Amino acid sequence: MLERLKQLFESPSAKLLLLAVGAGAALTFVLQTFDMNLFEAHLYDFRMRHKGDHQMVEHTVLVKIDDKTVERLNEFSPLSMKQHVSLLKLLSQGHPKAIAYFINFNDSITAETTSDSSKPAENPAESFVQVADSLYASGTPVMLGTDIDVTGEVVPPFPLSKLPHRVATIHKDGTTFSEDKVTRRALFSIYDEPVLHVQLASLINGKTAPTDYRGIYHMPDVDANFFLINYVGPTQDDQQRFTEISAIDILDGKVSPSVFQNKLVLVGTKTKEDSNDYVYTPYSRQIFTNAKLTIHANIIETLIHNNAIMRASRMFDVILTLVLTSLIIAMVFRTSPIRGVVFTTVCALVMMAAALAAFRWGNVWICLAHTLLGIFFAYYVFVPYRLIMEYKQRWQFQKKHEVLVQVEELKGNFMSLITHDLKTPVARIQGMAEVLGRSGADPKIVSEILGSTDELNRFITSILELAKIESNRIQIAKTSKDVNKIIEDCVHKFEFQTRAKKITLATDLEPLFPIRVDVPLLTKVISNLIDNAIKYSPEGARVTIESRESTEQPGFLEITVTDTGHGIGPKDLDNLFAKFYRPKNDITMQTKGTGLGLYLSRYFVELHNGTLTAESVEGKGSMFTILLPLDETEILNAAIPPADHDGETGLFKGDNAYV
Ligand code: ADP
């Protein structure tokens, strides 16, 4: 069991997996130590802008004290209490569900008291309270939104403080998260007191507790609950999704009171006099573009629909980063660089699409910054690592290759040197044996010496030819020649040998036109085939050499050497033309040879752009077929290497340097 586990862990795939997960975990850990809030915020805003709009906004109507209003009334924002009394009376005619003021009344009160302090009974602020009270009695609460400071809620000035009031600040990411002053979240409650927005939403959905809502999270350092605003759509003045009415139009009686019926009416300031009336949102970071009044309405809508954005847990973020970085690292080591780039990009895009879908249809915020950076770091850190490893391997391979090429060259030189030097003493032995023969020595001994020297000579010649081939020194010299003549000359040379072995050597030669061939090379090929046919056939066998224009391969001349010898097995037939190949059977063992003859013969035929093939039935005989092109205009190029010869390296398949 332990042994199997050990084996499992030692397999290349397991090693790669361990490396990928280990490196992925390290990368994830390092990335998690960095906040990356600004990047995260940009990704968040991107999703907010592309999540599409919500259903129609129907619960709220915005009443704005805008530039048009203050200019017409010739007052300062947020208008005098007198105007507010008139406005409230007009709004009340529409029987709204509630009227909420997101206004700091301090300036309005100060203006009134200085101008009309002598008659408290006619104090417009008091009148405002009275109108509000009577509205409350008839079922329309009037509520005031307030600010907070270090001491807590900033209560409205007297006598407005008598009216229901709640905190209604707009929160900006000024000190937390991305610190870019963009409004992404809203207060739900502070010191356990729900804010005005919650009060207003509860008039429609009846919910006030944080547990009634999704996505409410606690921030202990300020003892407050927050949630992420799910904007109903763009917040810019020219694109926002709320019904917005100018206060002056209401005061001028241009608006039908029915517009406010059963609605939450939000009254607020929105003048270019005060940049405090505006904020930045994920939709726009331009000043005087996103009115606070619109943001208040968005906050209330989020609460009414209970669809605050929920943040996926940190653990999810860590696991996602770990899985994806490990995957990318494994990919980097497994696939080609191009595939790696494609995979990494696709991975990042799929991640982003999935996060966008989760945001759009599930109102879930999956943090992407760590994951995306993880994906790219995993790729860009590990690609160079892989390249270094590969370069190292290639370098080692190259060094090995250089050494092998050198060895091959030395071997070639050595072989040609040795064989060349051997030729002279062999020729001398041959000469002396002939002299001995003439001077009456035992003819049996003399012929044995001559036979052995012949064999040695053939071996030396083969080795020399191989050395020539391997150093690319074979030259082909074509002359026009009748191939039948070459065959007859070859046959003539073997008369003695065939007679000694009682072999019938027959020819069947069709008259042919002369073709251009390298006569010595073709002679070698035909001689080798006849020699083999005699060598590997028993006494009394028949060897036939035929020549004709090929009927199966028009345009080719066909020479066949057929014997009724021992034949060759199918397995050996496949390797017959390989360098130094000799089948392992008794007949071959008893017969002298180098295993080079057929390799060289095929090479020489291929130099003529021809082919040499073999067919055989074990125990019955063999047939070797040479096909040579007849085309007179064909240009034979001595430099054209055979099929298994690599022109660049000068090596052959099967050569050590190639493996
Ligand atoms: P060598 O004859 O020097 O061994 P060759 O390359 O000429 O080398 O031949 C390779 C092998 O193919 C031989 O060892 C022999 O076993 C087999 N062979 C070649 N020609 C014949 C043939 N006509 N009949 C049977 N076997 C043959």
Side-chain angles (χ1 to χ4, degrees), residues 532-533 535-536 563 568 576 581-583 588 593-595 597-598 622 624:
N532 276 351
K535 269 201 305 187
Y536 300 108
D563 64 64
I568 305 153
L576 212 59
Y581 185 81
R582 301 198 80 210
T588 311
T594 57
L598 288 179
S622 317
F624 287 80

Side-chain angles (χ1 to χ4, degrees), residues 585-606:
N585 56 42
D586 290 347
I587 291 136
T588 311
M589 292 302 165
Q590 287 157 19
T591 318
K592 293 190 173 100
T594 57
L596 275 173
L598 288 179
Y599 171 80
L600 294 172
S601 298
R602 178 176 264 189
Y603 184 85
F604 295 152
V605 174
E606 283 176 355

Side-chain angles (χ1 to χ4, degrees), residues 22 53 111 122 174 210 258 287 289 303 371 386 462 477 501 509 550 553 565 590 620 653:
D53 293 354
E122 286 173 35
S258 64
I287 199 146
T289 304
L303 289 168
T371 317
R386 177 187 151 160
S462 297
K501 224 176 161 184
L509 311 175
S550 176
Q553 292 260 21
Q590 287 157 19
K620 293 226 161 138
K653 279 180 197 160

